[in-house]
Amino acid sequence: MLETVIKRDRDMGTPARESAETVTLTIDGQAITVPAGTSLMRAAAEAGINIPKLCATDSLEAFGSCRLCLVQIDGRRGYPASCTTPAENGMVVHTETPKLHELRRGVMELYISDHPLDCLTCPANGDCELQDMAGVVGLRNVRYGYDGANHLKSEKDESNPYFTYDPSKCIVCNRCVRACEETQGTFALTISGKGFESRVSPGQDQPFLDSECVSCGACVQACPTSTLQEKTVIMMGQAEHSVVTTCAYCGVGCGFKAEMKGQEVVRMVPWKDGQANRGHSCVKGRFAWGYATHKERVLKPMIRKRITDPWKEVSWDEAINYAASEFRRIQDQHGRDAVGGITSSRCTNEETWLVQKLVRAAFGTNNVDTCARVCHSPTGYGLKQTLGESAGTQTFDSVMHTDVVIVMGANPSSGHPVFASRLKRRLRQGARLIVIDPRRIELVSSPHIKADFHLQVRPGTNTALLSSLAHVIATEGLIDEAFVAERCEAKPFKEWRDFVSLPENSPEAMEEITGVPAQAVRGAARLYATGGNGSIYYGLGVTEHSQGSTTVMAIANLAMATGNVGREGVGVNPLRGQNNVQGSCDMGSFPHELPGYRHISDDAVRGQFERDWGVTLQPEPGLRIPNMFDAALAGSFKGLYCQGEDIVQSDPNTQHVAASLAAMECIVVQDLFLNETAKYAHVFLPGSSFLEKDGTFTNAERRISRVRKVMEPKNGKSDWEVTVALSNALGYPMDYRHPSEIMDEIARLTPTFAGVSYDKLDRLGSLQWPCNEEAPEGTPIMHIDEFVRGKGRFMITKYVPTDERSTRRFPLLLTTGRILSQYNVGAQTRRTPNVVWHGEDLLELHPQDAEDRGVRDGDWVGVQSRAGETVLRATLTDRVQPGVVYTTFHFPESGANVVTTDSSDWATNCPEYKVTAVQVTRVSQPSEWQRQWSRFADIQQKLLRERERESEAALAGK
């Protein structure tokens, strides 16, 4: 386990430089050779010599303001700053001389003369670079008193819920400002005032909470004093050990050091060696982990006969045995296929593996599905058909080598903020940007970033737009003919080129359908095809459509046609929404596929699993989630095991989902909280948070990273142990002693994971599959010499209009998405101070549409579709185009999915969340559904409280 006592990661002072040219110099008598462009400070650090510093850190470009890192160079006048002075051949450098000692002590004396001397009570005591440097330079007294002007009584800014800003301790080193600019890319901080009046300022001298700060924590991490300090550290003190683990929020998969005091988390610090995040973080991963100890967590197993009954707390054994007996009763009465299971993209690979194994081996059915199907299954299908592998092609680092970026149907600033920061850095370096989105997302225009093209496509017309882009590339001679001839199948390519070259696919012909001006389409196509390395990053705005799979294939077609596959800086890159979307798919959570995306009907593959598992598997695909719902209403599907997923809130057509669950006889929910789905459950098995479990997550770049237990499960069991116990109770034995044994089984049965083990993950930090004999340390870039399927295959992608089109009754198109501070159904983030930024779901409405309906900013509006109606508060904005409205789905009372319909992707059943025809009207009261939801929620909370009263009475009786 990567567990250590707390010590600061070694800081080399300035970033590393890459250069084929080297220089050799002498530092304190040592000869050292470094890449050209390396600073003297870093060169010294490479030789094991630490030069004092305050403003310098290896995560930021050198600034040279603190004057503590002065050195002496033979033959040169003065004492230059080592952080800003590049190493040169033949240099002779001295880092320790009497004069340097004198200068450094003088500089430090000036810093301390305007700094509180409260080290013993300071929250940074023991973790303060200013304190350390005072000792390093040998400061023993301060000649300057506090009688003159100083900043010692400056007021603290406590507005941010997660950290404090104390300007009295600021040394104006600029590290926080530079971190906000260089690392995060928000430019929310500045230095206000001049000379002695200089101080860090959020925005225009605003409180942090009112500024543009996105609370990523980069400024807090960069601060060398306690000027910016986590409130948890102020409250709890310094941590005493740390454990490296992986964030359980989005598909970036950031590495963190959980800094601990015993079993208590003090803070989460981005891991400097994290290969997905490179030491950066966002507000969720950095700060929003308090849900793990929230008072609303249910920590005891519970059972009840009917959902109108109070919950009864029982032992683990009683709960497990009751669930198993109910499942067996249902199968005896209604048949083997009357039960099924749902895996979660928030759970580990190992937990997901066990659930699908339990369904296939213990239940004896293939009725297993995953929430990943309702977001990214078109990615799996579309990329498998074209490139031969159902996952993204690159690393996140690859974006630093791109020249032209297409971001389509994704809002990285909100959904994948750490990746967005890296993307923005590359854009500031000169890369060009094309945004394809119905909304004007932050990347279209923000500080120091402006897209060359914003193709504001009409919802539901993605395929038409991509066909028009392809038309330009094909008809203007922009195809990479050599790449296509060498790497792709000839006949399908010719058919594709003939198809996209048809006049009906031209930008001019498609303009009426897509709403995007033809000249903009032509300009974007030319830029992508001729601008150098071209990369495409896409999200749920591509997949969650009736033509989601078609659109993914169209993206792959574009990449192949322009030769933008198989090297750094290019590729087709899906941005996965949840932390383990990729992994839950890899682990065989689909009713038609075993792990590794191999069809259940393949006798050879199925036989391999049968021999290993000692059981006969069914050769026919099982039910997908929508089929389970329909079968429940028809009376043939009666029991469900749902681990870590809230289908009532997250799946489309909420009323249909709720009715389906109400028709079942036994629903077993394994989760942290009594979520919307658990309110329909008969057995509640308490889940464990990511802080309480061992395992792995697989992120959007196929990177398998370790999740390490930092505290013991507060419910008494890890999730994998619960599934094992249920399987044993069902009569199918599982006897794992640790999740590493589950990974060994995964590696044994899944070709792309054949070389994966916990030992190797601990040694290398992470691995990108495929990891096998051919690639023992993983595969960062896919399809380098040839495609996984051999030759790339172009696919015809004819535009077929969705049934969800605006009509006289429903004239607007609703599309949905996420916001930075909240995550998915909000079960985690709503139980943290993140609600300060986003406390309710809002409906974005264009001012023109609002005026037509007499709606003002802040009004309550009814949103009605053919599926249902809900009421939201309106916010007027031109981020959406006329005819389009937008909302998020983080709060259950909002009921965003009450109005989304059962329309879905033709190939995978992925719901069409992104296009729902609606009408919006001004209202004065909640919808009927919201009133019913409120009554039902009140009843379920009352039944939960009755369980609590019974438990308290039982304890009192003892």
Side-chain angles (χ1 to χ4, degrees):
M1 176 184 290
L2 291 183
E3 181 170 348
T4 62
V5 295
I6 290 293
K7 62 179 181 179
R8 198 177 295 136
D9 289 329
R10 189 174 182 214
D11 193 322
M12 307 294 281
T14 61
R17 298 300 182 211
E18 294 183 5
S19 175
E21 181 185 351
T22 61
V23 297
T24 300
L25 68 161
T26 301
I27 303 178
D28 291 348
Q30 292 189 49
I32 181 168
T33 300
V34 294
T38 301
S39 71
L40 291 181
M41 178 179 284
R42 188 172 185 104
E46 298 280 1
I49 300 166
N50 295 319
I51 300 174
K53 63 186 186 300
L54 279 174
C55 73
T57 179
D58 57 14
S59 63
L60 302 171
E61 292 299 325
F63 193 61
S65 71
C66 76
R67 314 312 294 169
L68 204 63
C69 71
L70 307 179
V71 294
Q72 182 177 318
I73 303 173
D74 286 359
R76 293 198 183 182
R77 298 177 58 186
Y79 302 92
S82 62
C83 65
T84 55
T85 304
E88 297 177 13
N89 269 319
M91 266 186 174
V92 178
V93 180
H94 306 277
T95 70
E96 295 289 342
T97 68
K99 183 62 178 177
L100 289 173
H101 290 166
E102 179 186 350
L103 290 170
R104 289 170 183 161
R105 278 196 297 269
V107 169
M108 182 59 68
E109 193 175 1
L110 290 171
Y111 278 121
I112 299 302
S113 71
D114 189 18
H115 196 84
L117 297 181
D118 60 351
C119 291
L120 292 180
T121 57
C122 177
N125 185 21
D127 186 30
C128 174
E129 293 179 49
L130 184 68
Q131 189 181 57
D132 294 345
M133 289 303 107
V136 167
V137 304
L139 184 67
R140 295 294 175 262
N141 60 74
V142 178
R143 293 167 290 172
Y144 315 111
Y146 294 108
D147 297 334
N150 58 56
H151 302 89
L152 301 181
K153 295 185 178 179
S154 300
E155 291 186 10
K156 294 181 182 180
D157 176 1
E158 302 275 11
S159 63
N160 189 286
Y162 293 118
F163 60 84
T164 295
Y165 170 50
D166 184 354
S168 73
K169 296 184 176 180
C170 180
I171 61 173
V172 201
C173 65
N174 223 278
R175 271 165 61 164
C176 61
V177 177
R178 290 182 286 138
C180 189
E181 294 174 358
E182 296 176 27
T183 305
Q184 169 57 28
T186 297
F187 295 82
L189 303 182
T190 188
I191 301 294
S192 64
K194 294 181 179 180
F196 178 78
E197 299 301 327
S198 298
R199 273 297 177 269
V200 172
S201 167
Q204 302 298 313
D205 289 315
Q206 300 166 287
F208 263 90
L209 191 61
D210 297 336
S211 73
E212 293 179 344
C213 169
V214 294
S215 297
C216 67
C219 61
V220 181
Q221 190 171 358
C223 182
T225 69
S226 67
T227 305
L228 290 160
Q229 185 71 71
E230 297 96 334
K231 291 182 177 179
T232 50
V233 174
I234 295 173
M235 179 178 65
M236 300 174 65
Q238 295 292 329
E240 43 84 16
H241 75 278
S242 68
V243 181
V244 173
T245 189
T246 302
C247 181
Y249 279 116
C250 77
V252 173
C254 295
F256 276 90
K257 277 187 174 181
E259 295 195 350
M260 308 290 297
K261 265 192 168 181
Q263 292 282 301
E264 296 291 324
V265 178
V266 175
R267 64 179 175 183
M268 298 290 285
V269 178
W271 187 29
K272 193 173 180 178
D273 294 330
Q275 293 160 312
N277 57 317
R278 303 295 181 190
H280 191 35
S281 61
C282 79
V283 62
K284 293 190 285 289
R286 182 72 156 88
F287 297 117
W289 40 266
Y291 68 87
T293 54
H294 196 275
K295 63 182 180 181
E296 291 181 5
R297 266 193 74 176
V298 180
L299 299 176
K300 300 290 186 181
M302 305 185 299
I303 62 174
R304 60 182 177 180
K305 185 66 177 175
R306 296 175 296 273
I307 67 169
T308 54
D309 295 339
W311 285 104
K312 177 187 175 185
E313 274 190 7
V314 296
S315 68
W316 273 108
D317 285 345
E318 186 174 350
I320 293 291
N321 289 330
Y322 179 77
S325 66
E326 282 294 280
F327 283 136
R328 285 303 185 216
R329 176 188 63 78
I330 289 170
Q331 289 187 305
D332 289 343
Q333 292 179 0
H334 302 281
R336 181 191 63 218
D337 294 324
V339 299
I342 296 176
T343 74
S344 173
S345 295
R346 291 196 288 278
C347 293
T348 65
N349 287 317
E350 293 77 4
E351 291 158 356
T352 303
W353 175 276
L354 290 190
V355 173
Q356 63 86 28
K357 180 179 180 179
L358 175 141
V359 172
R360 299 187 200 279
F363 286 169
T365 177
N366 289 316
N367 293 340
V368 62
D369 204 355
T370 177
C371 57
R373 191 193 49 76
V374 303
C375 60
H376 262 291
S377 50
T379 286
Y381 182 87
L383 295 186
K384 192 83 170 179
Q385 294 297 311
T386 51
L387 310 182
E389 191 57 86
S390 54
T393 62
Q394 313 293 120
T395 65
F396 288 138
D397 286 342
S398 176
V399 77
M400 298 308 294
H401 301 273
T402 196
D403 300 305
V404 181
V405 185
I406 294 178
V407 175
M408 182 174 187
N411 186 1
S413 304
S414 293
H416 305 85
V418 171
F419 168 73
S421 294
R422 199 173 308 176
L423 169 60
K424 288 190 280 189
R425 184 186 305 176
R426 179 59 186 153
L427 294 173
R428 292 195 300 273
Q429 293 173 353
R432 313 284 292 277
L433 175 64
I434 300 163
V435 172
I436 303 175
D437 202 286
R439 293 173 72 234
R440 190 182 71 247
I441 63 173
E442 186 252 3
L443 285 176
V444 172
S445 182
S446 59
H448 304 273
I449 299 295
K450 187 172 178 59
D452 291 83
F453 295 95
H454 177 202
L455 308 184
Q456 200 164 14
V457 63
R458 186 173 292 126
T461 64
N462 285 340
T463 299
L465 179 65
L466 290 174
S467 292
S468 64
L469 288 166
H471 177 91
V472 177
I473 291 169
T475 58
E476 295 189 4
L478 304 179
I479 290 173
D480 187 335
E481 300 285 355
F483 179 91
V484 172
E486 179 186 354
R487 300 284 304 274
C488 302
E489 294 181 8
K491 185 172 181 290
F493 166 67
K494 181 182 183 304
E495 292 171 347
W496 171 83
R497 182 167 57 184
D498 291 344
F499 164 72
V500 297
S501 298
L502 293 172
E504 55 261 39
N505 286 320
S506 70
E508 289 73 18
M510 288 294 189
E511 183 172 337
E512 185 177 350
I513 294 171
T514 65
V516 181
Q519 282 307 108
V521 174
R522 289 190 175 275
R526 292 164 185 156
L527 176 59
Y528 173 68
T530 65
N533 284 343
S535 57
I536 302 175
Y537 293 85
Y538 71 89
L540 305 186
V542 163
T543 57
E544 291 178 344
H545 288 270
S546 63
Q547 280 200 284
S549 294
T550 311
T551 305
V552 171
M553 291 188 287
I555 288 173
N557 289 342
L558 278 185
M560 290 189 294
T562 54
N564 280 310
V565 187
R567 63 181 185 278
E568 286 269 35
V570 299
V572 177
N573 307 283
L575 295 173
R576 309 291 192 169
Q578 297 181 74
N579 53 297
N580 204 32
V581 167
Q582 184 66 61
S584 65
C585 298
D586 300 339
M587 294 300 102
S589 296
F590 296 125
H592 64 291
E593 286 180 335
L594 287 162
Y597 306 97
R598 292 165 294 169
H599 204 278
I600 190 69
S601 63
D602 187 315
D603 292 341
V605 172
R606 201 173 61 256
Q608 181 186 7
F609 281 85
E610 289 177 337
R611 288 188 295 273
D612 196 276
W613 291 354
V615 68
T616 300
L617 301 180
Q618 298 303 314
E620 297 297 326
L623 300 176
R624 292 172 174 169
I625 292 174
N627 308 131
M628 294 180 194
F629 295 156
D630 292 342
L633 290 172
S636 60
F637 189 84
K638 297 290 187 178
L640 179 67
Y641 174 39
C642 183
Q643 185 190 72
E645 183 61 16
D646 191 357
I647 51 179
V648 172
Q649 189 177 339
S650 64
D651 279 36
N653 198 346
T654 300
Q655 295 178 93
H656 178 69
V657 176
S660 303
L661 296 186
M664 296 185 198
E665 294 181 2
C666 181
I667 296 173
V668 178
V669 168
Q670 186 174 343
D671 219 306
L672 302 177
F673 305 100
L674 193 77
N675 59 26
E676 300 306 298
T677 303
K679 292 171 183 175
Y680 291 87
H682 306 88
V683 180
F684 186 91
L685 304 176
S688 53
S689 73
F690 82 108
L691 296 170
E692 302 161 307
K693 59 179 65 177
D694 284 301
T696 56
F697 293 148
T698 306
N699 75 351
E701 46 174 5
R702 296 170 285 105
R703 186 180 302 283
I704 308 160
S705 299
R706 284 280 280 113
V707 182
R708 294 181 177 87
K709 185 189 297 184
V710 307
M711 61 173 70
E712 290 303 313
K714 294 187 177 300
N715 61 359
K717 286 183 182 291
S718 294
D719 287 342
W720 69 271
E721 295 176 302
V722 177
T723 306
V724 165
L726 180 57
S727 184
N728 289 334
L730 285 165
Y732 179 77
M734 293 185 185
D735 59 355
Y736 309 97
R737 291 164 296 178
H738 188 270
S740 62
E741 296 178 352
I742 306 172
M743 177 54 73
D744 293 341
E745 182 176 303
I746 294 169
R748 190 166 65 244
L749 293 172
T750 312
T752 50
F753 278 67
V756 179
S757 69
Y758 278 24
D759 287 343
K760 188 180 288 188
L761 288 168
D762 289 343
R763 177 166 53 86
L764 298 178
S766 66
L767 289 162
Q768 288 176 267
W769 67 257
C771 177
N772 46 35
E773 286 186 5
E774 291 75 30
E777 295 194 352
T779 309
I781 305 295
M782 295 278 283
H783 315 296
I784 291 178
D785 297 316
E786 65 175 3
F787 292 103
V788 170
R789 66 182 309 278
K791 296 278 189 178
R793 179 168 63 179
F794 283 80
M795 301 292 290
I796 301 298
T797 54
K798 183 176 177 58
Y799 167 64
V800 178
T802 172
D803 292 337
E804 281 296 312
R805 284 170 278 182
S806 55
T807 63
R808 181 175 298 179
R809 184 182 177 192
F810 302 120
L812 303 175
L813 294 178
L814 168 71
T815 189
T816 62
R818 296 175 179 175
I819 200 163
L820 172 64
S821 61
Q822 296 295 330
Y823 173 70
N824 202 261
V825 296
Q828 294 145 276
T829 44
R830 280 188 282 109
R831 291 176 171 90
T832 71
N834 278 28
V835 292
V836 167
W837 291 283
H838 190 75
E840 63 178 328
D841 292 318
L842 302 171
L843 185 78
E844 292 187 7
L845 188 66
H846 191 276
Q848 178 181 314
D849 292 325
E851 183 178 354
D852 292 344
R853 290 160 175 78
V855 173
R856 293 171 297 186
D857 197 69
D859 280 351
W860 291 105
V861 291
V863 184
Q864 185 181 32
S865 74
R866 61 182 172 88
E869 181 178 8
T870 191
V871 171
L872 299 166
R873 195 185 305 274
T875 181
L876 308 190
T877 175
D878 62 0
R879 291 186 67 180
V880 292
Q881 55 190 301
V884 175
V885 293
Y886 170 88
T887 191
T888 52
F889 57 97
H890 304 303
F891 291 79
E893 62 269 26
S894 300
N897 282 319
V898 170
V899 296
T900 53
T901 68
D902 53 7
S903 179
S904 64
D905 173 52
W906 63 272
T908 66
N909 260 162
C910 180
E912 191 171 34
Y913 291 108
K914 303 307 180 189
V915 192
T916 304
V918 299
Q919 177 60 286
V920 172
T921 55
R922 189 178 176 189
V923 299
S924 58
Q925 59 185 358
S927 69
E928 177 58 29
W929 174 85
Q930 284 168 313
R931 287 192 289 269
Q932 292 176 2
W933 175 87
S934 183
R935 287 192 294 269
F936 183 67
D938 287 345
I939 290 170
Q940 292 301 316
Q941 287 300 322
K942 179 183 176 184
L943 296 174
L944 187 64
R945 286 194 298 273
E946 287 182 22
R947 176 268 313 184
E948 293 169 349
R949 283 195 293 271
E950 285 185 12
S951 299
E952 291 168 0
L955 286 173
K958 290 181 180 180

